[in-house]
């Protein structure tokens, strides 16, 4: 049973398309990063899975049921962006309220608050909370009742680096317990080490989806090799020149090292040649990062036409 | 049912926390005792006048105060949750929109009912104990009728406030519209009715005219509390039309019930069709 499955889903808002033909699946124990520019349709995607809206076309199945069914939503945890809780209530009272609504046991409330680092502040009114503390409260709320599907919209906003690391450790644990997790974030380098798969949306269409290796293959972006010459730069340059049968290699010398951008399919051949020549003292390989891949798929069209509202 | 009660329970504990419940009860008790003691001041004496006169005065003041309190209590029920971002979150819980709104109604409705029973109940008991020679049975009946109709009137305006709250997207707009509703039913409506009466110079169907009073819950409320004493002399202004109304007290009660049931059903319908 997948956590959710979107099958050819389209959604229109006042006749203008927000999402077109989205196919996306999340399996238990997976962390999916959902990325896209402002107005790309991330929030709409999440709302469809949560059952807040129904698609104009296609089908959404969630945890083996219908999106929005009470038996289904009971097992979903959701952290919205920028939630302000009831300012006159304490953290504990708010979590008790939401636990009752979810039919979750109230005993886990202090435990959850402790887990997100609000142990000392749970009996203070939330109007005294900082942004980071409200975010932690939101997380504790999303974790109520051990969800099987967890959807987090910008979970690390306002969290300090230590808390962010704690959060990702927590997510990894949940994942190992079989929870499927969706992460929406603009902090790409931050989430890169933690996601199993990424889905990139632009203008309501799914541009790419898959694990990082697959996305790299799909993007076919050059890999950068950084080479330290064993003897002289010119000798090393000569080796590279003669090794590369294909064109498109860029060689830049800077401070005694060589940077070579090589197409993924030529990488191994070049490495073999360089190693065999004995002209290299050290090699480091830079794969394109998630951010590079994202920019590749989104296109660097500037901010102008990326305005759109969420 | 459980989730409705969870929502209601939060509203109730909120109104205890922010002292709304206490404040409304206090206002009601002060109002009732003040009128009971100084109601006869116009005729040059201080002291309890009579039960019908006291109830009539209370009802006349009630139509200003009770709609206002009910509207203030309820106008931000949904739009307030939306502004705080909790509406979206609540709807991702195993909770339907109807359950959310009904839970709010139960919470606000009970808050108003408790305040009414406590405030006017205390006043009723004080009158029964302190005033000599008051007919306890008729006082109790009048007080029960008054409290019951006050609660129904309050529920009507809570439901009207919800109709606004599920439609608009900003709290200040909801507050403005709530005041407009109060202004219309409490001040404008009777003036319009009076104007129609005068302008039509008797041409208007005499059978139809009294029924127009049923279009305003505050008029039904006043009629209900005054007509019950069988003393049409207390009916002043447009209310004198009510003497010609061919329905008895039961009809008026039904009118008040419809005045909260229909707006509540309307608010539920609007909320269900609203885009989040």
């Amino acid at each position: 049973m997948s956590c959710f499955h979107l099958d050819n889903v389209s959604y229109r808002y006042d006749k203008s398309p927000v999402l077109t033909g989205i196919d996306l699946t999340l399996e238990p124990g997976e962390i999916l990063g959902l990325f896209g520019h402002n107005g790309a349709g991330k929030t709409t995607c999440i709302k469809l899975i949560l059952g807040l809206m129904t698609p104009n076309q296609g089908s959404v199945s969630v945890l083996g049921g219908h999106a929005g069914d009470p038996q289904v939503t009971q097992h979903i945890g959701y952290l919205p962006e920028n939630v302000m809780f009831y300012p006159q209530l304490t953290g504990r009272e708010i979590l008790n309220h939401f636990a009752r609504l979810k039919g979750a046991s109230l005993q886990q409330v202090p435990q959850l608050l402790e887990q997100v680092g609000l142990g000392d502040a749970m009996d203070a009114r939330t109007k005294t909370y900082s942004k980071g503390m409200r975010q932690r409260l939101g997380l504790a709320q999303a974790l109520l009742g051990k969800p099987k599907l967890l959807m987090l919209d910008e979970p690390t906003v306002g969290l300090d680096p230590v808390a962010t690391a704690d959060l990702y450790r927590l997510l990894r644990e949940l994942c190992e317990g079989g929870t499927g997790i969706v992460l929406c974030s603009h902090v790409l380098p931050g989430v890169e080490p933690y996601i199993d798969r990424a889905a990139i949306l632009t203008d309501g269409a799914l541009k790419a989806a898959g694990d990082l290796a697959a996305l790299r293959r799909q993007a076919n972006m050059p890999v950068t090799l950084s080479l330290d010459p064993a003897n002289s730069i010119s000798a090393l340059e000569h080796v590279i020149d003669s090794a590369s049968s294909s064109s498109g290699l860029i060689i830049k010398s800077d401070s005694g090292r060589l940077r070579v951008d090589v197409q993924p399919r030529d990488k191994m051949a070049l490495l073999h040649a360089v190693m065999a020549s004995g002209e290299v003292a050290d090699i480091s390989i830079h794969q394109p990062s998630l951010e590079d891949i994202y920019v590749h798929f989104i296109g660097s069209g500037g901010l102008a036409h990326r305005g759109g509202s969420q | 049912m459980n989730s409705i009660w969870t929502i209601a329970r939060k509203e109730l504990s909120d109104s205890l926390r922010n002292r709304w419940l206490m404040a409304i009860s206090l206002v009601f008790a002060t109002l009732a005792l003040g009128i009971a003691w100084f109601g006869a001041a116009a005729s040059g004496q201080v002291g309890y006048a009579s039960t019908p006169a006291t109830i009539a005065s209370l009802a006349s003041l009630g139509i200003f105060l009770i709609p206002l309190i009910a509207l203030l209590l309820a106008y931000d029920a949904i739009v307030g949750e939306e502004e705080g971002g909790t509406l979206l979150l609540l709807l991702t819980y195993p909770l339907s929109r109807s359950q959310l709104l009904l839970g709010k109604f139960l919470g606000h409705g009970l808050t108003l009912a408790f305040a009414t029973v406590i405030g006017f109940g205390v006043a009723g008991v004080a009158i029964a104990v302190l005033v000599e020679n008051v007919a306890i049975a008729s006082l109790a009946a009048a007080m029960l009728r008054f409290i019951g109709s006050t609660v129904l009137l309050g529920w009507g305006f809570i439901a009207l406030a919800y109709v606004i709250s599920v439609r608009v997207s900003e709290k200040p707009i909801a507050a403005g519209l709530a005041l407009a509703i109060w202004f219309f039913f409490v001040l404008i409506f009777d003036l319009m009715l009076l104007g129609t009466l005068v302008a039509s110079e008797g041409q208007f169907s005499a059978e139809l005219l009294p029924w127009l009073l049923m279009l305003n819950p505050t008029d039904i409320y006043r009629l209900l509390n005054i007509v019950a004493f069988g003393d049409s002399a207390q009916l002043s202004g447009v209310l004198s039309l009510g003497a010609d109304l061919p329905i008895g007290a039961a009809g008026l009660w039904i009118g008040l019930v419809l005045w909260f049931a229909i707006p509540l059903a309307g608010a539920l319908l609007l909320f269900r069709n609203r885009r989040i």
Side-chain angles (χ1 to χ4, degrees):
Chain A
M1 184 181 69
S2 8
C3 284
F4 68 75
H5 179 66
L6 302 183
D7 186 21
N8 191 27
V9 165
S10 297
Y11 182 81
R12 287 182 298 278
Y13 188 96
D14 292 338
K15 286 187 183 152
S16 61
V18 181
L19 290 176
T20 39
I22 306 280
D23 291 303
L24 193 60
T25 306
L26 178 73
E27 297 300 333
E30 244 187 343
I31 302 188
L32 171 75
L34 186 58
F35 309 113
H37 55 82
N38 300 328
K42 300 186 298 278
T43 308
T44 308
C45 241
I46 289 181
K47 284 182 176 174
L48 286 171
I49 296 165
L50 288 168
L52 293 171
M53 310 186 305
T54 46
N56 298 101
Q57 205 187 78
S59 71
V60 182
S61 73
V62 182
L63 296 172
H66 223 60
D69 278 356
Q71 311 81 296
V72 169
T73 50
Q74 201 174 6
H75 300 294
I76 299 181
Y78 172 50
L79 171 71
E81 218 182 337
N82 295 326
V83 62
M84 297 280 296
F85 288 102
Y86 310 111
Q88 75 283 15
L89 299 191
T90 69
R92 191 205 294 265
E93 286 167 336
I94 287 173
L95 221 53
N96 278 339
H97 178 61
F98 281 106
R100 278 188 207 106
L101 283 175
K102 209 166 202 171
S105 122
L106 297 189
Q107 278 155 13
Q108 61 184 300
V109 165
Q111 214 174 312
L112 274 174
L113 286 165
E114 206 74 61
Q115 203 172 2
V116 297
L118 285 176
D120 296 330
M122 64 169 93
D123 290 314
R125 294 183 177 204
T126 53
K127 66 177 168 197
T128 65
Y129 279 22
S130 68
K131 185 162 173 46
M133 289 163 83
R134 280 207 304 271
Q135 190 75 3
R136 289 158 194 247
L137 183 59
L139 272 171
Q141 169 275 133
L143 297 176
L144 279 170
K146 284 218 162 55
K148 293 181 185 154
L149 169 60
L150 192 56
M151 317 253 268
L152 307 173
D153 205 344
E154 293 288 353
T156 56
V157 169
L159 293 187
D160 58 62
V162 177
T164 305
D166 281 347
L167 167 67
Y168 285 126
R169 198 171 317 126
L170 184 66
L171 294 186
R172 193 37 81 187
E173 276 168 29
L174 288 169
C175 219
E176 276 154 15
T179 304
I181 300 174
V182 179
L183 271 180
C184 273
S185 181
H186 290 298
V187 194
L188 300 179
V191 298
E192 181 171 354
Y194 304 102
I195 58 173
D196 299 315
R197 284 196 307 138
I200 298 174
L201 280 170
T202 47
D203 296 324
L206 199 57
K207 262 287 160 65
D211 57 26
L212 281 180
L215 288 181
R216 282 195 187 104
R217 270 198 304 278
Q218 198 183 336
N220 203 24
M221 293 170 76
V223 178
T224 306
L225 306 179
S226 207
L227 307 163
D228 272 333
N231 303 310
S232 72
I233 285 204
S234 53
L236 184 56
E237 234 169 316
H238 182 73
V239 172
I240 294 167
D241 275 338
S242 54
S244 57
S245 47
S246 64
S247 57
L249 279 184
I250 307 152
I251 304 177
K252 295 176 218 148
S253 336
D254 59 333
S255 62
R257 313 187 81 201
L258 275 183
R259 287 170 56 86
V260 183
D261 287 345
V262 59
Q263 289 301 316
R265 66 192 135 87
D266 299 331
K267 182 183 71 181
M268 287 318 290
L270 181 63
L271 280 174
H272 279 305
V274 170
M275 302 285 272
S277 74
E279 289 290 342
V280 64
D282 194 15
I283 300 181
S284 54
I285 302 171
H286 304 281
Q287 298 267 29
S289 67
L290 177 60
E291 199 157 6
D292 299 328
I293 296 172
Y294 174 80
V295 171
H296 171 84
F297 281 113
I298 295 276
S300 47
L303 290 170
H305 69 283
R306 299 285 180 225
S309 61
Q310 301 233 2
Chain B
M1 194 59 217
N2 247 339
S3 24
I4 294 181
W5 176 240
T6 303
I7 298 287
R9 178 181 163 159
K10 177 181 171 295
E11 292 305 325
L12 268 175
S13 78
D14 279 356
S15 61
L16 277 176
R17 184 191 311 264
N18 59 26
R19 305 204 167 68
W20 259 88
L21 185 59
M22 203 177 76
I24 305 173
S25 309
L26 219 68
V27 167
F28 285 167
T30 319
L31 191 76
L33 288 173
I35 284 179
W37 255 256
F38 301 107
S43 54
Q45 63 191 96
V46 171
Y48 191 71
S50 70
T51 301
T54 304
I55 294 289
S57 308
L58 272 177
S60 304
L61 268 173
I63 59 155
F64 287 97
L65 209 57
I66 284 137
L68 196 62
I69 289 174
L71 289 166
L72 279 179
L73 197 64
Y75 82 93
D76 68 344
I78 298 299
V79 73
E81 296 269 4
E82 192 189 21
E83 281 198 351
T86 38
L87 180 62
L88 185 70
L89 191 57
L90 283 173
L91 294 180
T92 68
Y93 273 68
L95 172 76
S96 71
R97 297 183 189 198
S98 309
Q99 284 173 322
L100 175 60
L101 199 65
L102 287 174
K104 290 265 179 189
F105 185 75
L106 191 61
H108 288 142
L110 283 178
T111 300
L112 197 83
F114 286 150
T116 311
V117 170
I118 295 169
F120 291 128
V122 164
V125 169
I127 293 171
V129 171
L130 298 175
V131 176
E132 289 167 30
N133 303 329
V134 69
I136 301 286
S138 78
L139 175 71
M143 265 312 199
L144 279 179
R145 188 186 317 114
F146 177 71
I147 289 173
S149 57
T150 301
V151 170
L152 284 179
L153 180 71
W155 287 357
F157 278 89
I158 288 175
L160 284 171
Y162 288 168
V163 174
I164 298 169
S165 202
V166 300
R167 278 296 291 180
V168 304
S169 53
E170 277 165 67
K171 244 162 96 168
I173 298 176
L177 287 176
L179 278 181
I181 284 194
W182 180 82
F183 208 67
F184 176 76
F185 282 118
V186 175
L187 301 174
I188 308 280
F189 186 89
D190 283 4
L191 277 179
M192 273 171 40
L193 203 56
L194 212 57
T196 317
L197 210 60
V198 173
S200 66
E201 292 173 347
Q203 299 294 302
F204 208 89
S205 158
E207 265 117 60
L208 190 67
L209 213 45
W211 287 99
L212 293 179
L213 285 179
M214 297 297 280
L215 294 178
N216 186 345
T218 65
D219 283 340
I220 302 177
Y221 169 75
R222 274 196 294 172
L223 273 178
L224 190 58
N225 280 292
I226 294 170
V227 167
F229 294 104
D231 179 10
S232 306
Q234 293 274 3
L235 293 172
S236 55
V238 285
L239 277 194
S240 50
L241 283 173
D244 302 330
L245 211 54
I247 52 171
L252 293 173
W253 282 108
I254 290 171
L256 270 188
V257 169
L258 286 179
W259 258 107
F260 92 77
I262 292 171
L264 186 61
L268 283 170
L269 205 66
L270 284 173
F271 191 34
R272 216 176 287 167
N273 294 330
R274 171 189 162 139
R275 195 149 40 186
I276 295 297

